[in-house]
Amino acid sequence: MKHWLEQTIFYEIYPQSFYDSNGDGIGDIAGIIAKLDYICELGCNALWLNPCYLSPFGDAGYDVSDYCLVAPRYGTNEDLENLFKEAHMRDMHVILDLVPGHTSTEHPWFKESCKDTENEYSKRYIWTDSIWTDVAKFDGIAGSLRGLYPRYGSVAVNFFSNQPALNYGFANPTEEWQSAVDSPEALATRQAIKDIMAFWLSKGCDGFRVDMAGSLVKNDYENVETIKLWQDIRQFLDETYPQSVLISEWGEPNKSLMAGFHMDFLLHFGPSHYMDLFRCENPYFRKDGKGNAYEFMKVYMQNYTLTNKKGLICIPSGNHDMQRIGKYLDDEELKLVFAFLLSMPGAPFIYYGDEIGMNHLSIPSVEGGYDRTGARTPMQWNSEKNYGFSTAPAEKLYTSQDLSEDAPYVSEKIRDKNSLWNEIQKLCKLRKNFSALSAFGTISFVYCEPESYPLVYLRTAGDEKILIALNPSEKETECPCPYQLEEIIYTLGKSIKITDGKLYVPAQSGGFIKVNEIEN
Ligand code: NOJ
């Protein structure tokens, strides 16, 4: 049976900011259900929701205080189950965000573990055995909390100070208070996470995007023990919910795919050179043609070769942690970006609002967003009040919105046949019509030289060969081409040509061509 990831295009929803159905200024699950048809119309057939669980929202919900309860501001567990059903009725899948590395300090497990009397949760987090020993000096620990709780010890945090690290053990324990990875307490934490996964999978969720997936075991150089831990979780999933997927926030496919993840994101951190393409001083996809995709391609191909058939690599348009791509590139440049994203292997992810080129705003921090907040503003649906996001007074919205005169909104972009939105819709349809373009079609780069354009690669499945040629620069380009044109299936800008073993790609243009090998 084909895996559903093969023909999947994800849409990431930051629930706070997508659509507010009850007029309180914050997006909710009923709002997401109301917009499912919109997402299908665009061409996406799966959702990733950022955490929607009970939380004090010190880090926008990545500080969970009850993994099995939907935060009241988004609705109820029943609403979420309803979303799963409504999505499935439309042949869509829904993945939730799993935050296994840490909880909120408000989580009952943490409150119990802070007590100076021993209990079931005393070792659920990483505590030293003395208030004077600082846990923060050990590898993989982001900081510590001490002197705040009755317990005589310091406790590790995983990200912000309100996110104490759950205890999965240390790779090579050197201190008495450090748990081994196979200690009863580390295994109990692991089991607790499996139980949470099973809870949501049994309600109809299709898998998880896993937050900070590489962070679980401490002092774990090269992530050897963390990899083993995920292999065990993958085995559990394969046995219980074999159709479910695990997608990692890791950024190192050479590790995450070995660990059993179905797919790993390339991210704004890590060694992938993802940022060279869209978000740096000279992005490759900017028309001034000063970019460089070579390092990206090199690392990509190393990982691809190493992990081929084990899992997928995913290149997202953006996410809730990155500056919006619309800050760096205009709509014409973004059309070529999406031609790239929607023709690469792996399942693409479109971050809500990127389909209309929403901008990154400079606005005050909300819920621990800091400089990420500008990428988390409410969706711009139409020209009505609050761009149709909410009927609440503007000052009650989750964050302020883009008030500039040319701020884009969905209804206008759908109407404009030449818009980025319509180009993305076209590309999504195309991707689904050709198996060479699907997640598992193979890739090889045909032309990608240092500081050079165009970018040319071949996607293959069975006998089908599709050559993708993209020239984001304003100059006409050419490169050697060892293929023969069979049929042009997509053109962006001016038409590309193959003559006498050369490929000509006009300025700011791209094309997908069915090709054959040249017969000698
Ligand atoms: C990565 C998430 O994407 C980010 O938003 C969050 O703040 C950290 N992990 C901590 O959970």
Side-chain angles (χ1 to χ4, degrees):
M1 194 167 75
K2 278 192 174 179
H3 195 282
W4 62 266
L5 276 183
E6 179 162 358
Q7 280 301 0
T8 294
I9 303 174
F10 280 92
Y11 190 84
E12 178 191 343
I13 293 182
Y14 187 74
Q16 288 89 322
S17 294
F18 195 55
Y19 184 56
D20 171 20
S21 73
N22 63 357
D24 65 358
I26 296 195
D28 45 52
I29 293 170
I32 299 174
I33 295 175
K35 295 293 185 185
L36 282 178
D37 289 334
Y38 163 78
I39 298 165
C40 289
E41 195 190 339
L42 177 64
C44 296
N45 53 2
L47 308 180
W48 157 28
L49 305 190
N50 293 112
C52 53
Y53 321 107
L54 194 71
S55 164
F57 293 100
D59 183 17
Y62 282 93
D63 46 335
V64 179
S65 51
D66 187 339
Y67 287 102
C68 295
L69 193 67
V70 166
R73 71 187 200 180
Y74 298 133
T76 60
N77 282 20
E78 216 186 329
D79 292 332
L80 187 53
E81 281 183 54
N82 217 354
L83 169 60
F84 300 148
K85 280 196 206 109
E86 290 284 340
H88 293 159
M89 272 161 49
R90 293 166 174 81
D91 279 332
M92 299 173 89
H93 291 92
V94 183
I95 64 168
L96 296 178
D97 211 314
L98 182 74
V99 191
H102 47 268
T103 67
S104 153
T105 45
E106 299 289 304
H107 197 291
W109 295 343
F110 186 69
K111 290 187 176 161
E112 282 300 302
S113 93
C114 291
K115 293 184 176 161
D116 62 353
T117 46
E118 205 166 320
N119 60 59
E120 191 187 338
Y121 300 102
S122 295
K123 293 187 177 173
R124 180 57 49 99
Y125 299 83
I126 304 169
W127 288 88
T128 62
D129 54 5
S130 155
I131 193 81
W132 312 117
T133 310
D134 188 6
V135 71
K137 66 182 183 196
F138 292 91
D139 192 66
I141 293 172
S144 68
L145 298 173
R146 45 183 179 157
L148 296 171
Y149 309 107
R151 180 162 171 175
Y152 183 70
S154 123
V155 63
V157 305
N158 219 28
F159 194 69
F160 289 154
S161 304
N162 51 14
Q163 290 159 313
L166 284 162
N167 185 14
Y168 295 89
F170 282 67
N172 292 297
T174 52
E175 317 287 320
E176 209 154 290
W177 52 265
Q178 296 180 349
S179 303
V181 283
D182 56 356
S183 61
E185 58 272 19
L187 294 179
T189 309
R190 192 187 295 195
Q191 187 56 47
I193 291 298
K194 286 183 186 169
D195 292 346
I196 291 160
M197 295 169 91
F199 176 83
W200 287 115
L201 290 167
S202 75
K203 306 243 174 281
C205 131
D206 298 297
F208 303 93
R209 173 270 188 184
V210 179
D211 188 68
M212 294 176 70
S215 75
L216 304 192
V217 177
K218 306 305 180 193
N219 259 8
D220 187 18
Y221 301 99
E222 296 308 315
N223 302 98
V224 178
E225 292 299 331
T226 302
I227 289 173
K228 285 193 210 152
L229 184 154
W230 282 113
Q231 286 168 341
D232 171 52
I233 296 186
R234 170 68 188 266
Q235 193 184 338
F236 150 76
L237 278 186
D238 285 349
E239 281 161 14
T240 50
Y241 294 92
Q243 278 299 304
S244 62
V245 300
L246 276 182
I247 303 177
S248 49
E249 186 205 27
W250 196 320
E252 292 178 87
N254 53 326
K255 294 179 178 168
S256 53
L257 301 184
M258 304 297 173
F261 283 91
H262 294 84
M263 184 155 78
D264 188 23
F265 286 110
L266 303 189
L267 293 160
H268 49 300
F269 57 84
S272 70
H273 285 271
Y274 166 82
M275 298 295 267
D276 298 0
L277 301 179
F278 323 119
R279 293 174 182 79
C280 63
E281 208 183 320
N282 294 308
Y284 187 75
F285 279 89
R286 191 176 282 159
K287 53 177 162 290
D288 61 10
K290 292 185 188 156
N292 189 4
Y294 185 70
E295 299 300 326
F296 164 82
M297 182 276 295
K298 251 179 31 195
V299 183
Y300 183 91
M301 283 316 284
Q302 275 163 10
N303 281 324
Y304 179 77
T305 314
L306 208 68
T307 60
N308 195 10
K309 308 251 180 327
K310 293 198 175 62
L312 300 167
I313 302 173
C314 162
I315 313 172
S317 72
N319 70 24
H320 59 290
D321 292 331
M322 295 183 213
Q323 304 238 310
R324 281 235 184 232
I325 197 164
K327 173 175 171 173
Y328 292 85
L329 302 170
D330 66 27
D331 280 16
E332 292 311 303
E333 292 165 329
L334 286 175
K335 287 180 184 172
L336 278 154
V337 166
F338 278 95
F340 169 72
L341 295 174
L342 291 163
S343 64
M344 285 293 281
F349 272 73
I350 300 177
Y351 183 50
Y352 85 94
D354 282 352
E355 72 272 32
I356 53 168
M358 265 171 71
N359 206 346
H360 192 92
L361 305 189
S362 292
I363 50 175
S365 177
V366 171
E367 296 187 342
Y370 300 99
D371 51 346
R372 306 173 294 180
T373 308
R376 301 174 174 187
T377 59
M379 182 67 168
Q380 295 156 201
W381 291 105
N382 55 41
S383 57
E384 287 160 30
K385 180 180 169 188
N386 304 323
Y387 292 105
F389 162 69
S390 167
T391 54
E395 62 281 7
K396 286 196 80 188
L397 300 190
Y398 179 68
T399 75
S400 53
Q401 291 184 293
D402 187 354
L403 298 179
S404 57
E405 255 181 29
D406 57 352
Y409 52 86
V410 169
S411 60
E412 174 202 33
K413 296 294 168 186
I414 294 182
R415 251 190 329 264
D416 171 5
K417 290 295 161 227
N418 295 319
S419 69
L420 172 63
W421 195 97
N422 277 293
E423 205 61 50
I424 295 176
Q425 188 194 48
K426 211 187 284 173
L427 285 158
C428 290
K429 278 194 192 136
L430 196 68
R431 184 176 170 96
K432 289 179 189 149
N433 284 340
F434 294 94
S435 43
L437 297 178
S438 76
F440 296 102
T442 61
I443 183 170
S444 58
F445 280 85
V446 175
Y447 186 85
C448 179
E449 293 298 317
E451 291 162 25
S452 179
Y453 294 76
L455 179 67
V456 185
Y457 47 97
L458 185 74
R459 301 291 318 280
T460 308
D463 291 340
E464 190 175 83
K465 289 189 172 36
I466 299 179
L467 192 74
I468 316 289
L470 304 171
N471 175 17
S473 85
E474 279 169 325
K475 289 201 187 107
E476 180 160 335
T477 53
E478 58 177 67
C479 67
C481 180
Y483 299 98
Q484 193 167 286
L485 188 146
E486 187 188 319
E487 184 194 352
I488 297 186
I489 58 171
Y490 171 72
T491 298
L492 181 59
K494 293 198 185 129
S495 209
I496 60 183
K497 275 190 312 213
I498 302 181
T499 339
D500 298 333
K502 277 199 174 164
L503 175 69
Y504 295 89
V505 195
Q508 279 240 288
S509 298
F512 299 1
I513 329 170
K514 268 194 174 179
V515 290
N516 299 314
E517 302 281 351
I518 293 177
E519 284 161 28
N520 290 319

